């Protein structure tokens, strides 16, 4: 409650995490750093904080992460999030084989992480902590893109030249 008030966020908490948490530090923390610090402890207790707009949602992770509440961020915004903060990122694969990339990525997912292949659009949707998603971003970038096939126009077939014209006279008897 105190942290949510300090950060200007509305706290949404259906269940209170068990135990006590005492932390003392002389360093000033940004809200992102504080959420990351709290999440590093809460996740060991089966809970996480999800920051969504002006809300701070306390969710139980052993029943799965509420994927619909996880904020969607671009790959470039990952550095603005804490390592333990859940995010959803849509990666354009730029011609890389979607199913192969999804298989490679699955080894990097945490216990509550999720990767969804979107073959029709050539994209991969990943939901996990920002630290893991950043590692997945680097993995995807390390997979070589397929070489583009040059779209050469088909060779032009030369039209056969018609035979040279010949002047001939034909009689047409019996015509008006």
């Amino acid at each position: 409650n105190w942290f949510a008030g300090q950060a200007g966020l509305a706290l949404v908490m259906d269940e209170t995490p068990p135990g006590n948490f005492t932390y003392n530090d002389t360093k000033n923390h940004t809200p992102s750093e504080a959420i990351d610090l709290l999440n590093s402890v809460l996740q060991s207790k089966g809970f996480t904080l999800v920051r969504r707009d002006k809300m701070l949602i306390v969710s139980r992770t052993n029943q799965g992460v509420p994927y619909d509440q996880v904020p969607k961020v671009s790959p470039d915004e990952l550095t603005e999030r804490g390592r333990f903060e859940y995010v959803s990122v849509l990666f354009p694969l730029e011609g890389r084989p979607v199913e192969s990339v999804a298989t490679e990525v699955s080894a990097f997912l945490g216990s509550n992480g999720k990767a969804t292949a979107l073959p029709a659009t050539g994209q991969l949707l990943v939901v996990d902590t920002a630290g893991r998603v950043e590692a997945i971003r680097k993995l995807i970038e390390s997979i070589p893109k397929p070489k583009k096939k040059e779209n050469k126009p088909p060779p032009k077939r030369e039209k056969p030249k018609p035979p040279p014209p010949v002047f001939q006279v034909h009689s047409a008897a019996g015509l008006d």
Side-chain angles (χ1 to χ4, degrees), residues 45-167:
K45 305 284 185 192
F47 286 84
T48 191
L49 294 172
V50 176
R51 178 176 39 155
R52 174 112 187 181
D53 300 322
K54 288 299 220 175
M55 293 185 297
L56 189 61
I57 304 164
V58 179
S59 293
R60 185 179 268 287
T61 58
N62 61 2
Q63 298 170 355
V65 174
Y67 297 112
D68 58 332
Q69 295 175 357
V70 173
K72 292 171 180 47
V73 300
S74 72
D76 296 333
E77 294 173 304
L78 285 172
T79 56
E80 299 169 15
R81 299 294 178 145
R83 285 186 6 220
F84 297 99
E85 191 172 350
Y86 276 90
V87 293
S88 174
V89 179
L90 188 61
F91 289 102
L93 298 180
E94 300 172 328
R96 296 174 183 98
V98 178
E99 295 300 330
S100 297
V101 173
T103 302
E104 293 285 326
V105 162
S106 65
F108 283 74
L109 294 172
S111 58
N112 289 306
K114 177 175 147 183
T116 306
L118 305 169
T121 60
Q123 298 178 67
L124 185 70
L125 177 65
V126 179
V127 180
D128 209 329
T129 59
R132 284 197 170 102
V133 175
E134 176 64 20
I136 288 169
R137 181 184 67 79
K138 290 176 181 175
L139 169 69
I140 291 171
E141 288 175 354
S142 73
I143 298 171
K145 296 178 198 173
K147 296 185 190 261
K148 292 184 179 180
K149 295 178 183 175
E150 292 184 31
N151 291 335
K152 293 182 181 177
K156 292 184 179 179
R157 286 194 261 167
E158 292 188 29
K159 295 180 184 176
K161 293 183 180 178
V166 176
F167 182 71

